[in-house]
Amino acid sequence: MHLLVTGGCGFIGSNFVHYTLGHRPECRITVLDALTYAGSKDSLAAAGDRVELVVGRIEDAALVDRLVQASDLVVHFAAESHNDNSIANPLPFVTTNLVGTFTLLEAVRKHGRRFHHVSTDEVFGDLELDDPERFRETTPYNPSSPYSATKAGSDLLVKAWVRTFRIQATISNCSNNYGPYQHIEKFIPRQITNILSGRKPKLYGAGANVRDWIHVDDHNSAVWAILDHGQPGGYYMIGADGEQNNKAVIELILALMDKPSDWYEHVNDRPGHDLRYAIDAGKIRRELGWTPRYTTFRDGLAATIAWYRDNAHWWRPLKEAVEARYAKQGQ
Ligand code: NAD
Ligand code: TDX
């Protein structure tokens, strides 16, 4: 089987490539990635000759048409993915997340290929801290940030192409991922690499905001469950019952890295900051028999800390510039 993986040099996409190489001997992979600031060839350094990297953009219709035609199946990870960047400069989010997804859908329609769209729980907006509800497949869309609005728009394009043009597509909406190869602008790797480089962790506002953490390998095993057994036109929530508030996550990182529990700073909050995300993954568990493997957040986090400690060459060249950009925002 020949997979086209968009965004395969980013965090989740590169882990998906490694996961697939390890679990699916029948697959070869073409990665289409623009190598933006968020993509790194180094994340695929160990991938070997079953993977080919094509450097290019998903809005490039001629390139996308050729690559989709040559593949059996498209798994679409490429996106502008960071909320804070979408607040500072939304245009790349509209271009990549909306026009890019549209371009892929048109090629998939023309060549009759199966398509899996990787999306986020943020398309549903946020929940109150004490709300007993969690997001499920029927929750109405209500995005808050330019990032989540463009991801919501991309989901709606896929749904329209399924209904109107009858393309064979599936969508997954997953909660916050953690694990190796995550860009150090994101919450967990930012705090780990802050401590590793002698800086204090930075907490937005009071830190009561809740995220529902899942290890990236569990996200990718769920994507494979959908590729193997998902209903064409089906939508699936992915989550691992990992709700934690941000303050508790920082305190756990500090404990695992032998620092005092109050060795962190409060910084400016994110405008429009979503309060809580929580996923009900009952459908994918029931219908596809999927279960997460990393059920202890503390163990998954300890392994992630070890990865950043052992792979400083991967992140250290980026650190000064990332922190300089945050400092300008008082974050
Ligand atoms: P990332 O920012 O780490 O990686 C994105 C990759 O896409 C990079 O390699 C980048 O170079 C590439 N890219 C960006 N624009 C491109 C373009 N126009 N053409 C081709 N390539 C382009 O993102 P991530 O965290 O790995 O997220 C991957 C997907 O998963 C995204 O669609 C995101 O919305 C979704 N998602 C992420 C999370 C999370 O916690 N990180 C959770 C749920 C869903
Ligand atoms: O330094 C920080 N301090 C802090 O308190 C940073 C970078 C973040 N935060 C907070 C903001 C959020 O409440 O931590 C939480 C997580 O922040 P991010 O890592 O920026 O993730 P989030 O905004 O929740 O979005 C992530 O999960 C859903 C991914 O970046 C998205 O791509 C995905 O769709």
Side-chain angles (χ1 to χ4, degrees), residues 7-13 32-40 56-59 76-81 96 118-121 147 151 174-177 182-183 185-186 219:
C9 295
F11 164 44
I12 306 174
L32 172 59
D33 198 296
L35 295 180
T36 68
Y37 81 95
S40 168
R57 300 192 63 89
I58 55 170
E59 313 90 270
H76 176 33
F77 292 94
E80 286 292 339
S81 71
T96 291
V118 176
S119 192
T120 170
D121 59 357
Y147 163 67
K151 288 299 290 186
C174 187
S175 59
N176 284 60
N177 286 218
Q182 184 168 30
H183 196 283
E185 69 189 352
K186 301 294 195 320
H219 181 183

Side-chain angles (χ1 to χ4, degrees), residues 296-318:
T296 312
F297 182 57
R298 188 189 180 90
D299 294 349
L301 196 54
T304 303
I305 291 168
W307 188 87
Y308 281 91
R309 209 189 284 281
D310 293 345
N311 289 277
H313 65 278
W314 184 88
W315 58 266
R316 210 176 276 284
L318 311 173

Side-chain angles (χ1 to χ4, degrees), residues 6 32 57-62 64-65 76 78-80 90-108 115 117 146-147 149-158 161:
T6 72
L32 172 59
R57 300 192 63 89
I58 55 170
E59 313 90 270
D60 180 340
V64 163
D65 185 84
H76 176 33
E80 286 292 339
L91 181 60
F93 290 74
V94 173
T95 308
T96 291
N97 300 355
L98 289 170
V99 181
T101 301
F102 160 78
T103 307
L104 286 159
L105 287 169
E106 283 294 79
V108 162
F115 185 70
H117 180 62
Y147 163 67
T150 57
K151 288 299 290 186
S154 68
D155 288 16
L156 297 181
L157 289 174
V158 178
W161 262 242

Side-chain angles (χ1 to χ4, degrees), residues 81 83 120 122 147 187 190 202 204 211 246 270 273:
S81 71
N83 275 299
T120 170
E122 298 194 17
Y147 163 67
F187 178 55
R190 184 181 183 207
K202 309 281 191 262
Y204 291 179
R211 297 296 182 262
N246 294 340
R270 173 183 288 171
H273 195 172

